Amino acid sequence: MILTTIDGMPLYSTSPEAVAHAIRIGLQGYHTHTFRGRVGYMAGVNHQSMQRRSQRTNNTTVAPVTQTNTTTTSSSSSGGY
C-alpha cells in the first residue's frame, strides 16, 4: 500500500513493496522515511538514488524533500553473498 508520495515517488507501507518497486525500475534496496509518525519504505538505497532514477526516466527536475518530519535511513537488500 502506498502511504504517500515524496517528490513524486511512492512511499510504501512495507519494505518488500519498496524492494519490488526498486527492481522494477532498475534500483536495489530501499530506504525509509517517517510520514505522520509511521515508517514508510521507498525504493533505492537512499533518496538521492531514487531522485536520480526519476530524473533519468522523466527528464524532470525533482525538488528536495521539504517535510520536517521526514527522516531517512538506508538498507540494502541483496539475494546473495
Side-chain angles (χ1 to χ4, degrees):
M1 175 176 73
I2 296 175
L3 300 175
T4 190
T5 58
I6 299 174
D7 297 337
M9 297 170 269
L11 185 68
Y12 294 96
S13 60
T14 67
S15 60
E17 291 172 303
V19 170
H21 184 69
I23 291 167
R24 284 192 301 272
I25 62 172
L27 294 175
Q28 295 180 354
Y30 66 89
H31 63 283
T32 63
H33 293 274
T34 300
F35 176 72
R36 294 185 180 168
R38 183 174 177 184
V39 175
Y41 304 86
M42 187 175 283
V45 295
N46 58 45
H47 198 74
Q48 292 75 24
S49 68
M50 186 64 175
Q51 286 178 312
R52 283 191 301 273
R53 178 67 181 153
S54 179
Q55 287 174 337
R56 285 195 308 264
T57 57
N58 297 330
N59 198 25
T60 60
T61 303
V62 177
V65 174
T66 56
Q67 292 176 279
T68 57
N69 66 338
T70 300
T71 58
T72 302
T73 58
S74 294
S75 177
S76 181
S77 174
S78 63
Y81 293 95

